[in-house]
């Protein structure tokens, strides 16, 4: 007997062997059959979907759950556009904290002001507290003098704005968040994902780096798993700086590793270790993405996170230790570094099954595209960046480079696996709105952004289902509604393949199923 049969549905399976179905059978959390294979079978529950569209659950292959949940509960200066309004928010937040406490502020973006706030300005309203105002990109922060005074001179050289490694230095001054605090934040963010049809995600960097919240951060996810509070399936990317030199047997060829040699693939269907996250550069929003020539109207060309040889050594060490690598590279100079390092790593030890990824691939020159293909590297892009920030990004890249941003068609035409993701909470996390952008290639204002990079609706849905499963090594259990795979699926109020493209982002998510069970009670 089936546990559940979904009937009278328009099931888009993403499986070419059986592309569309009307009935879908579920038993013990798995899809067991489609159409005539299950239509006549008894079931404990029969759900008449009245023609609703069913798709495999969306996979967000690059997200920050803890940051998302914490940000939602943090005082925010968005959408303030005047310095005095931002300072008023800070003053209110400071008033609730004891002397000497850290005060977190979210929603900072210098572009609205046309400049960065300074430590001196924050000092006027901080009353001795330590103010830590995070840039929306996650690649910088503004702090007051109470924080700058604790930093070495090399990290505190600015007037209050700290980017990349300087931000990391400031973050490390703080006590880690507690596991209970992080658990609540992750659960909150996971519920938001479920409401948008996302059934699985890759948490892009824990335990260190720019966005590590605790040295025992993986334990938080295990805590949620043990308590039955993990809302969706999660793959954890360990931050690159969590690798340590190890005295392994010389024959192992492992110079650096996570404790006990844990690496990509450890875990189960709900919680597992994914790729090793390695940063090469910053972000476009903070103007720290590393470019081969300056931003338009500026002398600045961004920055690398560290000495190029040290970044390369870390990439090679991760590869030799058996990790899948997720290399953050937004600017084209950073992509050059990432591709060179991955090429060197594969020469030293050929691992075609590794499925290394370049996260963001924000600005990729035409000459770099064949290198992605030759190395078998996936491009994990965030379409929402151009939908939300496309007008600004196009301006700072200029007319020649703007069409190279967050490509679609350019990757697919060369056989590069194109993977959809959000980088939540940097911007909107809805997969359906991202699919719409990938087809329209227009910013929220309507400005075309590289229209030649547009792809089809089918290709965009593939990026958020089958390609996402491939990038996370889940292709045997997720990414399509194929018998034997997990019954993770989303029920939509309309069919993205049939509605006008302009309506895709507004399609209602009626229900999200994980392990064959509806999650409305968790969303």
């Amino acid at each position: 007997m089936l546990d559940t049969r979904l009937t009278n549905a328009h099931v888009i399976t993403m499986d070419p062997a059986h592309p569309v179905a009307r009935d879908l059978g579920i038993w013990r959390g798995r899809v067991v059959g489609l159409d005539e294979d299950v239509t006549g079978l008894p079931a404990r529950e029969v759900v008449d979907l009245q023609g609703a569209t069913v798709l495999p659950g969306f996979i967000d292959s690059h997200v920050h759950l803890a940051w998302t949940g914490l940000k939602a509960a943090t005082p925010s200066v968005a959408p303030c556009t005047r310095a005095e309004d931002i300072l008023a928010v800070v003053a209110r937040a400071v008033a609730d904290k004891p002397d000497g406490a850290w005060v977190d502020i979210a929603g900072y973006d210098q572009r609205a002001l046309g400049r960065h706030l300074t430590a001196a300005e924050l000092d006027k309203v901080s009353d001795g507290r330590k103010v830590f105002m995070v840039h929306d990109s996650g690649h910088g922060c503004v702090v007051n003098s109470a924080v700058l005074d604790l930093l070495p001179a090399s990290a505190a050289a600015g007037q209050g704005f700290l980017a990349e490694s300087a931000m990391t230095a400031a973050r490390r001054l703080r006590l880690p968040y507690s596991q209970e605090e992080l658990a609540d934040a992750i659960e909150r963010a996971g519920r938001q994902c479920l409401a948008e049809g996302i059934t699985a995600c890759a948490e892009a960097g824990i335990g260190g780096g720019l966005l590590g919240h605790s040295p025992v951060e993986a334990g938080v996810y295990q805590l949620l798993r043990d308590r039955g509070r993990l809302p969706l399936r999660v793959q954890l990317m360990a931050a690159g700086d969590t690798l340590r030199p190890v005295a392994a047997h010389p024959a192992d060829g492992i110079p650096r590793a996570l404790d006990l040699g844990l690496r990509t693939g450890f875990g189960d269907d709900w919680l597992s270790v994914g790729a090793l996250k390695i940063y090469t550069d910053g972000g476009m929003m903070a103007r720290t993405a590393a470019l081969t020539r300056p931003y338009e109207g500026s002398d600045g060309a961004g920055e690398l996170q560290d000495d190029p040889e040290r970044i390369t050594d870390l990439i090679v060490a991760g590869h030799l230790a058996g990790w899948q690598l997720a290399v953050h590279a937004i600017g084209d100079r950073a992509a050059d570094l990432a591709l060179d390092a991955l090429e060197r790593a594969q020469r030293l030890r050929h691992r075609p099954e590794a499925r290394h990824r370049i996260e963001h691939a924000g600005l990729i020159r035409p000459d770099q595209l064949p290198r992605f293909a030759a190395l078998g590297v996936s491009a994990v892009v965030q379409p929402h960046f151009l939908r939300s920030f496309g007008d600004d990004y196009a301006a700072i890249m200029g007319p020649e480079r703007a069409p190279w941003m967050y490509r679609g068609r350019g990757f697919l035409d060369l056989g590069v696996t194109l993977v959809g993701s959000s980088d939540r909470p940097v911007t909107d996390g809805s997969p359906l709105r991202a699919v719409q952008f990938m087809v329209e290639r227009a910013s929220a204002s309507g400005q075309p952004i590289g229209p030649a990079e547009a792809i089809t609706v089918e290709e965009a849905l593939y990026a958020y289902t089958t390609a996402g499963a491939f990038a996370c090594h889940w292709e045997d259990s997720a990414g399509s509604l194929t018998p034997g795979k997990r019954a993770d699926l989303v029920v939509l109020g309309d069919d993205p393949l049939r509605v006008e493209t302009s309506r895709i982002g507004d399609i209602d998510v009626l229900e999200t199923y994980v392990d064959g069970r509806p999650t409305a009670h968790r969303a």
Side-chain angles (χ1 to χ4, degrees):
M1 176 181 286
L2 299 174
D3 293 326
T4 305
R5 186 173 75 248
L6 304 181
T7 189
N8 192 19
H10 175 56
V11 183
I12 303 171
T13 67
M14 304 303 292
D15 180 354
H18 196 143
V20 180
R22 185 178 185 275
D23 283 16
L24 182 147
I26 299 170
W27 184 66
R28 294 190 176 181
R30 297 274 169 168
V31 176
V32 294
L34 301 165
D35 291 338
E36 62 273 8
D37 291 339
V38 297
T39 299
L41 297 179
R44 292 183 178 86
E45 181 182 29
V46 177
V47 181
D48 185 344
L49 291 180
Q50 301 179 357
T53 294
V54 175
L55 277 162
F58 297 125
I59 297 171
D60 190 334
S61 298
H62 185 116
V63 67
H64 302 280
L65 294 177
W67 180 20
T68 298
L70 291 169
K71 183 177 179 180
T74 299
S76 176
V77 296
C80 297
T81 58
R82 301 188 309 162
E84 52 265 41
D85 295 333
I86 293 175
L87 296 175
V89 173
V90 175
R92 289 193 294 271
V94 161
D96 295 332
K97 299 289 185 179
D99 289 345
W102 285 86
V103 181
D104 289 308
I105 305 291
Y108 175 70
D109 186 344
Q110 87 287 352
R111 295 174 302 175
L113 299 177
R115 65 176 181 86
H116 281 297
L117 280 181
T118 66
E121 289 174 301
L122 289 177
D123 290 345
K124 295 175 183 177
V125 296
S126 53
D127 198 21
R129 278 72 166 180
K130 302 179 186 72
V131 176
F132 190 88
M133 184 183 301
V134 178
H135 194 278
D136 263 344
S137 67
H139 286 269
C141 62
V142 177
V143 299
N144 64 348
S145 296
V147 177
L148 290 179
D149 290 346
L150 300 174
L151 290 168
S154 58
Q159 299 299 310
F161 178 69
L162 306 176
E164 311 304 343
S165 58
M167 174 187 172
T168 301
R171 186 182 287 277
R172 287 175 176 163
L173 294 171
R174 313 180 52 175
L175 285 172
Y177 288 91
S178 72
Q179 288 206 339
E180 292 293 344
E181 194 174 10
L182 288 173
D184 289 344
I186 291 163
E187 186 177 19
R188 186 183 304 123
R191 288 174 176 167
Q192 183 181 350
C193 290
L194 286 176
E196 294 171 349
I198 299 164
T199 57
C201 68
E203 167 66 64
I206 64 166
L210 287 173
L211 296 171
H213 296 94
S214 166
V216 291
E217 200 165 351
V220 182
Y221 291 87
Q222 188 171 356
L223 182 94
L224 287 166
R225 176 82 171 94
D226 292 344
R227 294 178 178 176
R229 289 175 52 197
L230 193 62
L232 72 169
R233 304 183 196 278
V234 180
Q235 191 175 84
L236 302 174
M237 296 187 199
D241 56 1
T242 60
L243 291 196
R244 299 189 297 188
V246 292
H249 191 285
D252 294 338
I254 300 175
R256 281 188 263 183
L258 206 61
D259 286 347
L260 300 179
L262 295 180
R263 57 177 173 81
T264 304
F266 184 81
D268 61 19
D269 276 356
W270 274 91
L271 182 62
S272 60
V273 177
L276 184 72
K277 171 75 175 294
I278 298 176
Y279 286 95
T280 63
D281 70 342
M284 288 187 189
M285 193 189 310
R287 310 312 195 230
T288 54
L291 310 179
T292 51
R293 67 175 195 258
Y295 292 91
E296 290 289 306
S298 166
D299 293 330
E303 60 187 86
L304 296 173
Q305 288 277 349
D306 199 349
D307 175 77
E309 198 55 41
R310 281 198 290 268
I311 296 173
T312 297
D313 287 346
L314 180 56
I315 289 172
V316 170
H319 174 87
L320 294 177
W323 285 88
Q324 178 189 25
L325 301 178
V327 184
H328 167 116
I330 292 185
D332 62 331
R333 181 186 173 204
D336 281 334
L337 172 59
L339 293 166
D340 288 345
L342 291 171
E343 189 173 52
R344 182 192 295 186
Q346 290 286 13
R347 281 199 307 268
L348 290 171
R349 180 179 295 169
H350 189 49
R351 291 180 53 219
E353 79 291 346
R355 296 188 197 172
H356 296 322
R357 313 156 34 144
I358 290 189
E359 309 299 298
H360 309 297
L363 186 74
I364 302 300
R365 302 187 310 270
D367 64 286
Q368 293 174 315
L369 292 170
R371 299 194 66 195
F372 274 76
L375 286 166
V377 174
S378 297
V380 183
V381 300
Q382 296 75 41
H384 277 300
F385 281 7
L386 293 189
R387 181 178 178 273
S388 299
F389 313 127
D391 295 349
D392 174 58
Y393 286 10
I396 61 173
M397 289 299 116
E400 181 189 4
R401 293 182 292 182
W404 304 344
M405 295 190 295
Y406 297 94
R407 290 175 178 270
R409 178 56 54 203
F411 286 123
L412 292 181
D413 283 352
L414 289 178
V416 176
T417 300
L418 178 69
V419 183
S421 68
S422 71
D423 205 15
R424 185 195 305 263
V426 176
T427 187
D428 188 355
S430 162
L432 286 170
R433 286 191 283 275
V435 165
Q436 179 177 326
F437 172 82
M438 295 172 89
V439 179
E440 292 182 331
R441 293 291 301 194
S443 69
S445 73
Q447 179 182 349
I449 309 288
E453 291 294 326
I455 63 176
T456 67
V457 177
E458 292 92 337
E459 290 166 334
L461 291 173
Y462 188 93
Y464 275 91
T465 54
T466 309
F470 177 83
C472 296
H473 290 268
W474 284 331
E475 71 275 12
D476 290 338
S477 59
S480 67
L481 296 175
T482 300
K485 291 191 178 184
R486 302 188 299 236
D488 295 352
L489 54 92
V490 57
V491 182
L492 302 177
D494 219 327
D495 180 357
L497 295 171
R498 294 177 178 174
V499 302
E500 292 292 327
T501 302
S502 60
R503 291 181 50 211
I504 292 175
D506 295 324
I507 293 174
D508 290 331
V509 174
L510 303 180
E511 184 56 275
T512 304
Y513 283 69
V514 178
D515 256 354
R517 295 189 294 272
T519 61
H521 62 287
R522 286 190 267 171

